[in-house]
Amino acid sequence: MKTFLAQLAFDGKRLVLRNFSFIFFALLMPAGFYLLYTKIMISGSTVAVKQFNVSYMDQMIVFSILLEAFFTIASILKRDRDKGFTTFLRLSPKGTFPYYVSITFWMLMMSLLSVIVLGGIAVGVNGVRLDAGQWLGLLGIVLVGQIPILMIGTAMSFIKREELLSLASNLITFPMAIVSGLWWPISLLPNWLQIIGKQMPTYFVNNLLNQLTSRATVDLKYFVGIAVWLMLGSLLVVIVAKYEQRKGVALGEA
């Protein structure tokens, strides 16, 4: 337990407190977009504006998860592997298990913090009303829904070159955000893009949040979609890790 707590404290300092890019991508960028679109670039009837303030909060929460997975966690895992940190841990008596649990813990905490920050802005600035059940539902859906997205980010961390990882992060993150309806309604996209967007994990998570915050009936098919992506993401990580292992990289360093 002492080893795990020490790992948590160590990762918390280096990943959160001393890492401005982590805070920027996970919190400040989505919060900035939310304020920009809800206070400056929105018009319409009072009812329409209220609905938009709620739905765009959901979208920016999912966007925060996307940035966290494809920029932050991918970069962190790659950097630790390149610097030999995971090799050092693998050879230590405790192994890499506390490390991976600690990284996962802080990723989950940042996602929950994004819910609190964006939800707090929505409530405090835009007058959005969320009851206790909705707050708990938001936290629960985000905890579950982000896992397959984080798995994809983990697979991306195996990209060998830093510049290629940065390129891949941009080429995947922003198109996925667009086609899954995180920046504007998916109905505005061409039909063929809508078909693609409605298969994205971000689309499933966003719609679950929308149904929760609008007090609509939750459609279980979105949970099924998340479960399918969880299996696909896990399979992708295993395939990439085994490929690296065949090239002489120990699986424990992955």
Side-chain angles (χ1 to χ4, degrees), residues 34-42 52-53 125-126:
Y34 180 73
L35 288 172
L36 175 66
Y37 278 88
T38 59
K39 303 304 292 185
I40 300 176
M41 302 180 67
I42 183 65
F52 180 79
N53 289 341
V125 177
N126 291 326

Side-chain angles (χ1 to χ4, degrees), residues 129-145:
R129 295 183 178 180
L130 297 172
D131 58 36
Q134 288 175 307
W135 277 109
L136 291 175
L138 283 171
L139 295 173
I141 291 173
V142 165
L143 279 176
V144 174

